[in-house]
Amino acid sequence: MAMTTAHLDLKPKDYRSEVPPDWCPGCGDFGVLNALQRACADLSIAPHEILVVSGIGCSSNLPGFFRSYGLHSLHGRSLPVATGARLGNHDLHVIAVGGDGDGYGIGMGHLFHSMRRNINLTYIVMDNEIYGLTTGQISPTSLTGMKTKTTPEGNLEPPANPLLVALAAGCHFVARGYSGDQKQLVEIIKQGLQHPGFALIDVFSPCVTFNRVNTYDFFKERVKRLEDMGHDSADHMAAIEQARIWGDVIPIGIFYQSPDPRPAIDDQDPALQGEPLVHRELGLSAEQRRQLIHEMM
Amino acid sequence: MSERRDVIVGIGGAAGDGVASAGNNLALMCARQGIGIFAYNSYQSVIRGGHSWFRIRASNTQPQSVGDRVDLLIALNQDCLDRHLQEVHPGGVVLYNSSKLKLPHAPPKDVQVCALPLEELVPEAGKLTIMQNTVALGAVIQLMGLPLEGIEKLIEQAYGKKGEEVVRSNRAAARAGFDRAKESLVPIDSPLTPGGKPLAWIIGNQALAYGGALAGVKLYVAYPMSPATGVLHWMAKHARRLGICARQVEDEIAVINMAIGASHVGVRAMCATSGGGFALMSEAIGFAAMIETPVVVINVQRAGPSTGVPTKTEQGDLNQAVGASQGDLQRIIVAPTSIEDACHTIPEVFNLAERHQLPVIVLSDLLISEGGTTVPPETLDFEPVIDRGELITEAPADIDPAASYLRYRVTESGVSPRAIPGVPGHLFVAASDEQDEDGVLISDVYTDPVIRKKMVDKRARKMVGVLRDIPAPALEGPTDAQVTLLGWGSTRGVIAEAAKRLTDEGITANHLQIKFLVPFHAAEVSAIIESAQKTISVENSESGQFARHLRAETGLSVDGHIRKYDGEPFEPKHIVEGVKAVLRGDEVVRVLSTEPGWRSEHPPVATGPTGTRTH
């Protein structure tokens, strides 16, 4: 992403909007919001150069609480909306946010293709393994056996593994954070924002109201920083191995960060070379019209 | 017979026989001679086999429909001869490769036979049966009175890259056909006068795409779907040259949301699809309306429901366009009335979309999108007015960051000045949720009935401004006519022709063609319907979606209905006969393309492999 050259003296509070978050006290999303504000301040990105695009769900309310341009779009559609925005103005820092239902359920198709085409944006998924706003149904990342309103006998389906999907789709920045580990999360977000392509950041963000399984205690007992385990984030196979691990240990951190990132679609599409589409003059010149009409004769 | 004012050529064969390219070449040759063309290809959803039927109507003036007879039949396979020989008009000619094909029965009365044995005329053709097309084209242009040089130039352009020998043998083939027609047939009385000012030859989808480029479209996204894919192909082909980003993406839901995302940051974005793809876009139409972001969506209607008949035309999506997306939302629905109109409509509706900040649905159909006409080049060579409405694209860098900008400020017109992301001092969040003037979700604070009503009213009153901005439909023809024909969109030309023919036959007719369906000029249209003697709607819809729309908007029912939904477009005679049936007492006339007296109610099933589906 194009980095702003303005070294403004920005603080996290400069990214605080007038609206206090309406999340439940203790919600993991607060941690993500804080980390995002801290990361943007550290990188000195001016608020008016940021567009945060969300889907629908509790975590998708984030743009309202974050001081920047925001676009609270449709359930599962934050990525195509964000992609269109990015194609339209590749000077903007485009950040997509949402939940695990929004991103890994209804939005899974767009997620896969966005990573495959490598649109240059950062996608933060606040993963609480539940559908919160609709009051407690399973999500694609809910564990097998979990009992919810829609699975009173226990969830029969295994959880999706978004990190493996990302690694298979050719994503060159695949990370997972934890709302309870602010220090690591800020660093992950900063790295993701600077990655010149699609960056997936899955974040364990406990839902204190509806998920009695994946709680802060659950994660505190299990999460282990990849950087503390000697993981080489430049090693794709090692990333796949770590992404498959879920049990007494759940790795968090940057799973894969390519040392030689493949070019983003924004850099490859000939039409996007030079100034952003939005700044270009509209319409055709007389010569262009003449040539096009000549083709019809 | 000496009253002939046009020549109608029908070229038929299986997909893969070169029907479309032969038709295109003939159309181009006529256009270059200043001869007006209206062309339509009735084809199937197959890559090989089946039946393709390309009709070209040529005249010294601009034809408005494909007409309703066939004068010169070029049959490229047996199936075509079996189906169409019976309909060749007296005074016409059937042309076919007699080395391979046989006439199934004696030709109709006063129809000449032009046998073109490929083996004899072009001995070196060998296995290249496709050369029969070139021979037939040579023959047909002789009959039409066009110069041989025209086809020679075309061959040079088409095959120049394939080498001297290919050009030579094709030119020989064309000349052989030309000479054979000249020697063996009585001239057909062609009224065409070649050598006029060259015209452009344009297909509907090209007109839509070109219109988009003229309008300043910078992002075109699409998913391939018949019959809209032509717009994507044109855009992709010209993208680099014109500085347009044209991308094919994973599905129509991605398409519409990307277009909206781009539009939100200030880019003119457009997409085109057909009914099934549009159905997937339904939710996002409401999104655009709620966040008040302009977007232009083209729906090229085809026969439905569901997968329907992918390569056949219909006007069956009016209901879908009117009803798309949940809730009460603001949209414009426009149906261009011809290929030329389609080109001019796109820049016009982009201005409306941006001025009033809402989605525009353009209803084309297969007849327009895959039909072709000639157009004087100067009518395509225009620089449209670009009106972006109240768009804020810049602000001083030192603007007070605390300055309050209300993206959804309540105004008298309902339109709020629109800033685009990247502009300092104008931060806002746009949401698909209901929001207050400052963009804050009303669900995020107290869910307030007063705010809710205020914002709904604000958006709703934008339509008053839209209606003022669009022209009311005008009645064409004498106001005291016995019959008033009402149609919408693509049927304009054929209805106009039918109205004229009726009047010539002593049944005076006038004609009202609706282009803007939403918002609707209810007052003007009601006045016209109420003062008409007998009103008859004409549409390609089984259920009469247009008649229903008229009734919904005006409270008035029309007296009669002429409906054609067999997949083929109206011909003037269908409407003329339909009017007579209504005058005799039929309320609803359902038109079928097969003529009484034809050898079978349903033309024989095409033989040949089904190949790969095109849709």
Side-chain angles (χ1 to χ4, degrees):
Chain A
M1 247 183 260
M3 295 306 301
T4 185
T5 53
H7 288 285
L8 310 157
D9 183 24
L10 290 163
K11 302 276 186 290
K13 67 172 171 58
D14 293 315
Y15 303 90
R16 210 174 288 160
S17 82
E18 312 279 304
V19 183
D22 56 3
W23 298 318
C24 305
C27 174
D29 295 351
F30 282 101
V32 177
L33 176 62
N34 291 340
L36 180 60
Q37 289 164 332
R38 163 61 66 190
C40 290
D42 285 356
L43 294 175
S44 286
I45 313 174
H48 69 270
E49 292 177 5
I50 301 172
L51 177 67
V52 179
V53 184
S54 66
I56 299 291
C58 285
S59 55
S60 284
N61 288 346
L62 187 145
F65 319 135
F66 185 90
R67 191 173 157 269
S68 71
Y69 279 101
L71 186 45
H72 189 168
S73 73
L74 297 171
H75 193 42
R77 314 300 169 196
S78 61
L79 286 178
V81 174
T83 299
R86 180 73 196 154
L87 293 175
N89 186 350
H90 60 262
D91 278 349
L92 285 173
H93 299 265
V94 179
I95 304 170
V97 302
D100 43 298
D102 188 79
Y104 304 145
I106 181 171
M108 182 60 100
H110 301 308
L111 174 61
F112 186 86
H113 292 289
S114 298
M115 293 190 290
R116 188 176 60 85
R117 75 173 55 97
N118 202 24
I119 182 81
N120 189 351
L121 54 83
T122 304
Y123 186 30
I124 303 172
V125 181
M126 284 159 265
D127 188 351
N128 59 10
E129 303 86 19
I130 197 84
Y131 276 40
L133 192 55
T134 44
T135 73
Q137 299 81 26
I138 46 157
S139 92
T141 48
S142 297
L143 298 178
T144 316
M146 185 171 182
K147 292 197 172 139
T148 67
K149 288 181 185 175
T150 50
T151 56
E153 311 285 320
N155 176 25
L156 293 175
E157 299 178 17
N161 188 329
L163 303 182
L164 277 184
V165 172
L167 291 165
C171 184
H172 276 196
F173 186 97
V174 181
R176 177 200 277 150
Y178 169 45
S179 179
D181 184 348
Q182 275 292 291
K183 192 152 177 285
Q184 189 199 49
L185 185 56
V186 171
E187 186 53 33
I188 291 173
I189 294 176
K190 281 164 71 173
Q191 293 291 317
L193 287 173
Q194 291 172 90
H195 175 72
F198 193 99
L200 175 67
I201 305 173
D202 183 67
V203 184
F204 291 136
S205 185
C207 172
V208 296
T209 305
F210 294 111
N211 188 337
R212 301 303 157 103
V213 173
N214 311 93
T215 59
Y216 285 103
D217 286 339
F218 173 91
F219 287 113
K220 203 151 56 159
E221 276 166 38
R222 292 164 172 78
V223 297
K224 205 149 175 210
R225 290 179 172 185
L226 282 168
E227 52 271 35
D228 294 343
M229 297 194 280
H231 174 70
D232 177 9
S233 64
D235 185 342
H236 197 260
M237 286 307 295
I240 292 174
E241 278 171 35
Q242 290 301 321
R244 294 178 69 225
I245 295 171
W246 183 288
D248 295 333
V249 170
I250 300 176
I252 53 171
I254 297 174
F255 284 68
Y256 185 61
Q257 184 174 19
S258 169
D260 183 23
R262 63 188 179 95
I265 196 76
D266 328 38
D267 297 321
Q268 289 181 292
D269 192 316
L272 299 176
Q273 306 318 305
E275 60 171 1
L277 291 179
V278 68
H279 296 320
R280 299 194 196 162
E281 208 180 312
L282 266 56
L284 303 175
S285 68
E287 177 57 24
Q288 286 173 322
R289 292 197 307 264
R290 199 194 60 79
Q291 278 181 11
L292 293 170
I293 294 168
H294 182 72
E295 278 176 23
M296 302 170 196
M297 299 176 74
Chain B
M1 218 141 318
S2 53
E3 284 301 316
R4 190 201 296 288
R5 277 175 285 196
D6 54 27
V7 177
I8 303 179
V9 181
I11 307 175
D17 282 346
V19 171
S21 64
N24 253 293
N25 287 338
L26 181 57
L28 201 49
M29 279 188 273
C30 291
R32 288 173 176 174
Q33 295 294 329
I35 290 167
I37 293 285
F38 190 105
Y40 186 73
N41 190 5
S42 298
Y43 67 104
Q44 287 180 230
S45 180
V46 288
I47 304 297
R48 288 281 179 271
H51 173 56
S52 223
W53 178 229
F54 196 123
R55 271 172 300 166
I56 303 171
R57 185 182 192 189
S59 162
N60 294 326
T61 53
Q62 177 55 46
Q64 297 296 323
S65 80
V66 77
D68 45 27
R69 48 167 222 284
V70 177
D71 298 316
L72 305 176
L73 168 64
I74 299 178
L76 300 178
N77 71 352
Q78 189 62 48
D79 178 65
C80 173
L81 270 180
D82 295 345
R83 286 172 189 277
H84 294 289
L85 178 58
Q86 61 194 322
E87 70 181 276
V88 182
H89 204 73
V93 180
V94 52
L95 301 94
Y96 69 108
N97 176 5
S98 46
S99 298
K100 234 185 57 173
L101 311 175
K102 279 179 17 197
L103 297 185
H105 52 80
K109 192 169 177 305
D110 292 329
V111 169
Q112 297 185 76
V113 175
C114 183
L116 298 167
L118 185 64
E119 283 164 19
E120 184 195 317
L121 294 173
V122 190
E124 73 259 42
K127 286 210 158 58
L128 278 176
T129 325
I130 196 86
M131 296 203 72
Q132 70 178 2
N133 299 17
T134 315
V135 173
L137 279 182
V140 96
I141 63 170
Q142 195 283 328
L143 291 167
M144 292 168 79
L146 302 180
L148 185 60
E149 297 81 66
I151 197 172
E152 291 181 332
K153 178 172 172 223
L154 206 101
I155 288 168
E156 174 74 49
Q157 287 175 320
Y159 301 120
K161 291 206 184 87
K162 295 199 177 167
E164 189 78 40
E165 186 45 41
V166 177
V167 172
R168 193 205 60 76
S169 58
N170 272 280
R171 283 168 83 138
R175 176 173 285 281
F178 190 95
D179 290 344
R180 178 56 61 100
K182 190 166 176 193
E183 292 151 10
S184 63
L185 302 172
V186 173
I188 63 151
D189 238 354
S190 167
L192 305 175
T193 51
K197 194 158 163 291
L199 299 166
W201 154 246
I202 188 168
I203 307 291
N205 276 339
Q206 294 170 343
L208 289 166
Y210 175 65
L214 285 171
V217 167
K218 289 283 182 263
L219 179 73
Y220 185 81
V221 272
Y223 187 84
M225 184 169 189
S226 301
T229 317
V231 186
L232 173 59
H233 287 166
W234 191 99
M235 282 290 184
K237 179 176 168 191
H238 295 96
R240 187 198 278 265
R241 206 194 319 167
L242 304 181
I244 295 173
C245 179
R247 297 214 65 81
Q248 176 193 334
V249 297
E250 65 266 24
D251 58 44
E252 286 90 345
I253 302 179
V255 167
I256 184 66
N257 283 290
M258 286 182 192
I260 292 171
S263 185
H264 185 73
V265 302
V267 165
R268 282 194 166 187
M270 185 168 91
C271 57
T273 183
S274 190
F278 184 82
L280 296 175
M281 299 181 176
S282 186
E283 185 193 28
I285 300 286
F287 176 42
M290 179 58 113
I291 61 170
E292 302 194 52
T293 287
V295 68
V296 174
V297 181
I298 301 169
N299 177 1
V300 183
Q301 302 167 95
R302 75 191 206 188
S306 194
T307 307
V309 197
T311 62
K312 296 299 173 190
T313 197
E314 194 161 282
Q315 295 182 303
D317 291 357
L318 178 55
N319 285 353
Q320 178 173 220
V322 171
S325 215
Q326 68 276 27
D328 281 322
L329 53 123
Q330 295 67 47
R331 76 197 86 195
I332 293 174
I333 301 175
V334 63
T337 57
S338 71
I339 291 170
E340 189 179 332
D341 187 46
C343 178
H344 291 258
T345 296
I346 299 298
E348 187 188 347
V349 299
F350 259 105
N351 290 346
L352 292 169
E354 295 212 304
R355 199 182 309 142
H356 302 282
Q357 300 177 14
L358 37 60
V360 173
I361 301 166
V362 179
L363 289 176
S364 177
D365 56 22
L366 214 147
L367 173 61
I368 283 188
S369 273
E370 301 213 328
T373 59
T374 40
V375 178
E378 55 271 17
T379 66
L380 296 175
D381 195 5
F382 68 101
E383 195 178 331
V385 169
I386 305 261
D387 176 1
R388 308 210 66 186
E390 298 177 69
L391 190 63
I392 301 168
T393 56
E394 50 193 17
D398 58 356
I399 189 170
D400 176 10
S404 89
Y405 164 66
L406 300 175
R407 166 64 185 96
Y408 298 105
R409 181 162 64 86
V410 170
T411 61
E412 203 184 309
S413 66
V415 177
S416 321
R418 175 168 82 109
I420 56 173
V423 173
H426 288 78
L427 302 181
F428 69 92
V429 176
S432 56
D433 284 66
E434 183 63 273
Q435 70 251 284
D436 200 351
E437 297 177 72
D438 53 9
V440 174
L441 273 57
I442 66 173
S443 303
D444 274 353
V445 291
Y446 168 56
T447 308
D448 189 324
V450 173
I451 298 178
R452 166 64 176 169
K453 181 170 184 298
K454 174 184 76 171
M455 299 310 287
V456 172
D457 286 341
K458 170 216 184 290
R459 290 189 299 267
R461 66 175 169 272
K462 293 197 296 185
M463 295 307 282
V464 174
V466 179
L467 190 64
R468 247 197 330 260
D469 273 356
I470 62 179
L475 193 63
E476 293 170 63
T479 34
D480 56 353
Q482 290 163 260
V483 168
T484 296
L485 294 166
L486 296 97
W488 68 286
S490 66
T491 52
R492 182 178 180 278
V494 71
I495 296 177
E497 192 171 334
K500 181 165 186 315
R501 212 187 280 187
L502 282 161
T503 303
D504 289 346
E505 289 184 28
I507 303 171
T508 54
N510 58 23
H511 168 205
L512 181 68
Q513 193 74 4
I514 307 291
K515 175 171 166 177
F516 284 94
L517 287 310
V518 172
F520 192 79
H521 286 92
E524 291 87 337
V525 175
S526 296
I528 290 169
I529 293 178
E530 278 168 336
S531 61
Q533 290 180 42
K534 198 151 197 95
T535 52
I536 304 177
S537 65
V538 179
E539 57 179 310
N540 293 110
S541 158
E542 184 279 323
S543 69
Q545 294 191 12
F546 175 57
R548 173 202 286 266
H549 189 68
L550 286 176
R551 199 165 64 243
E553 296 293 318
T554 64
L556 302 170
S557 295
V558 295
D559 299 312
H561 309 258
I562 300 174
R563 297 180 187 171
K564 191 174 197 290
Y565 44 91
D566 58 1
E568 300 300 331
F570 277 107
E571 295 174 14
K573 69 183 173 202
H574 297 139
I575 300 171
V576 169
E577 282 155 25
V579 167
K580 291 174 182 170
V582 170
L583 293 176
R584 283 195 301 270
D586 293 354
E587 197 187 325
V588 180
V589 177
R590 300 176 189 276
V591 180
L592 186 60
S593 266
T594 320
E595 309 289 307
W598 277 26
R599 282 163 190 271
S600 58
E601 176 73 19
H602 307 286
V605 174
T607 52
T610 47
T612 325
R613 305 261 140 209
T614 52
H615 62 281

